Amino acid sequence: MKQQKPLSLHYKELESLVNQRLVFLDGAMGTMIQRYKLTEEDYRGELFKDHHKDLKGNNDLLSLTRPDIIKEIHRQYYDAGSDIVETNTFSATSIGQKDYDLPSVAYDLNVASAKIAKEVANDIMLKDSKRKCFVAGSLGPTNVTASLSPDVNDPGYRAVTFDQLVDAYYEQTKGLIDGGVDLLIVETIFDTLNAKACLFAIEKFFDQHHERLPVMISVTITDASGRTLSGQTIAAFWHSVRHAKPFSVGINCALGAKEMRPYIEELSQIADCYISCYPNAGLPNPLSDTGYDELPQDTAEFLTDFAESKFINLVGGCCGTTPDHIQAIYNHLKN
């Protein structure tokens, strides 16, 4: 029988905290980066000054070229009440970076991003000994899908294989843990097969090393059908990932809290682990400054209902949310 790896100290600390009160996540990284009105030069820095492709929009790259901005954003979220901030690594896999012809920098991006967030967390805790600040390594869904064909004329075609996803996610996991993250979050899952490749890679890493970190899993329900992009209901999704024994499972992105309510309620009734929820600031509005209309007070009130209904253990915000949203959520839900 395979021997189970010991749980990390961070696992026990986070579990202790979540058993005492709601735990607060951060808000959107991309929304905050947009506020800085960065140029192509910001993304290139000195490291990629002569790169042959445009790099603007490759937000993960800023951990190497503008770490000052990423630090500032992390600090604002901690100051707003976040217990956990996520690394700036949503697309930091060799697969995600292929669009920019930079797959070779994926490992370095993850190490640098983890170190940046950890530096801010340690600084906050140094100044306030009562606080415990965690860093979650963000593993995004990639820009390809293992379940669906991108070619309508060839339904059997796949742009990526399961093994390619495992290799990319293993490298990302190694980079994040080498950089010092306290936990991992497999997030914005629209294709569960991609997520299973990610979970397999994480498990493979844990098997080869001395301890297990907490792993959060967060799925995206894409519309009012209540299904993921690859067609699963929330119940089907849970039953296909529960074997990973996650620290928490939850829902993020695509919907605002109001639209998310029936799905988070269902998940809270069937899952045998902690529940997380970090919705968008309502539904998208391209005419808004942030791309979303929901005010901090509105998001906080919707999530207060979730807390009072005992649906959630960990709470934060996704696209369109800012430190103001997290501050409002924290003020409403801290007790």
Side-chain angles (χ1 to χ4, degrees):
M1 185 175 169
K2 190 170 77 171
Q3 190 174 4
Q4 189 77 315
K5 298 289 179 182
L7 301 178
S8 71
L9 174 64
H10 301 303
Y11 201 116
K12 294 162 187 169
E13 287 176 334
L14 186 59
E15 189 164 52
S16 172
L17 187 63
V18 83
N19 282 322
Q20 293 170 43
R21 62 169 173 81
L22 280 172
V23 170
F24 296 92
L25 301 163
D26 61 1
M29 173 62 75
T31 299
M32 293 300 291
I33 287 172
Q34 286 172 16
R35 290 182 164 187
Y36 287 84
K37 312 289 184 196
L38 300 179
T39 65
E40 178 70 21
E41 287 65 39
D42 289 302
Y43 286 87
R44 288 178 175 272
E46 284 300 309
L47 277 174
F48 307 103
K49 188 169 63 174
D50 301 320
H51 192 66
H52 62 279
K53 266 196 165 181
D54 286 349
L55 298 176
K56 188 176 179 183
N58 187 357
N59 287 345
D60 301 25
L61 215 55
L62 297 170
S63 294
L64 295 176
T65 60
R66 290 300 307 269
D68 55 313
I69 286 174
I70 305 305
K71 280 183 193 174
E72 201 171 277
I73 293 169
H74 287 323
R75 188 175 297 279
Q76 288 179 59
Y77 280 123
Y78 278 131
D79 287 345
S82 297
D83 299 299
I84 301 172
V85 303
E86 292 186 42
T87 54
N88 179 40
T89 54
F90 188 77
S91 300
T93 55
S94 54
I95 291 170
Q97 289 300 311
K98 203 179 286 185
D99 279 356
Y100 299 94
D101 287 350
L102 286 173
S104 61
V105 306
Y107 174 80
D108 292 339
L109 283 179
N110 286 284
V111 174
S113 298
K115 285 182 173 178
I116 287 168
K118 198 68 186 164
E119 183 186 328
V120 180
N122 288 337
D123 187 44
I124 298 279
M125 289 189 289
L126 196 63
K127 289 173 180 170
D128 183 354
S129 59
K130 292 177 184 171
R131 286 196 70 176
K132 181 64 190 171
C133 297
F134 297 89
V135 172
S138 167
L139 299 102
T142 80
N143 49 357
V144 287
T145 164
S147 294
L148 305 169
S149 172
D151 182 355
V152 291
N153 297 312
D154 186 0
Y157 172 72
R158 296 295 182 269
V160 71
T161 67
F162 186 86
D163 288 345
Q164 286 170 335
L165 285 164
V166 170
D167 290 345
Y169 280 127
Y170 185 92
E171 180 185 41
Q172 184 172 34
T173 299
K174 184 178 188 314
L176 289 167
I177 293 176
D178 286 351
V181 300
D182 306 311
L183 63 148
L184 298 168
I185 180 160
V186 183
E187 64 174 341
T188 320
I189 297 164
F190 62 83
D191 180 349
T192 308
L193 193 53
N194 284 37
K196 286 171 87 71
C198 185
L199 294 167
F200 182 86
I202 290 170
E203 195 64 30
K204 181 179 172 184
F205 187 89
F206 288 161
D207 280 348
Q208 294 170 356
H209 294 79
H210 67 287
E211 65 180 9
R212 305 178 65 83
L213 301 184
V215 176
M216 297 174 64
I217 299 176
S218 189
V219 69
T220 293
I221 298 299
T222 49
D223 54 37
S225 70
R227 294 175 180 266
T228 64
L229 189 66
S230 53
Q232 281 189 312
T233 62
I234 197 72
F237 170 78
W238 166 243
H239 288 294
S240 62
V241 298
R242 68 177 299 192
H243 66 88
K245 296 183 169 56
F247 180 83
S248 69
V249 69
I251 307 176
N252 77 294
C253 208
L255 303 174
K258 184 179 178 182
E259 295 78 22
M260 206 178 270
R261 192 186 195 283
Y263 314 118
I264 204 77
E265 180 177 12
E266 182 182 1
L267 187 60
S268 74
Q269 289 168 354
I270 58 176
D272 54 6
C273 61
Y274 300 113
I275 302 293
S276 71
C277 177
Y278 51 113
N280 289 351
L283 295 175
N285 175 8
L287 301 177
S288 165
D289 286 344
T290 63
Y292 295 84
D293 276 340
E294 203 167 89
L295 297 173
Q297 180 76 11
D298 300 328
T299 307
E301 285 175 6
F302 289 130
L303 290 172
T304 300
D305 166 45
F306 289 14
E308 289 174 347
S309 302
K310 297 186 170 27
F311 295 159
I312 54 174
N313 306 101
L314 304 99
V315 61
C318 202
C319 303
T321 61
T322 65
D324 289 341
H325 287 79
I326 301 305
Q327 182 84 63
I329 293 166
Y330 175 79
N331 288 339
H332 274 68
L333 278 68
K334 63 185 175 184
N335 295 320

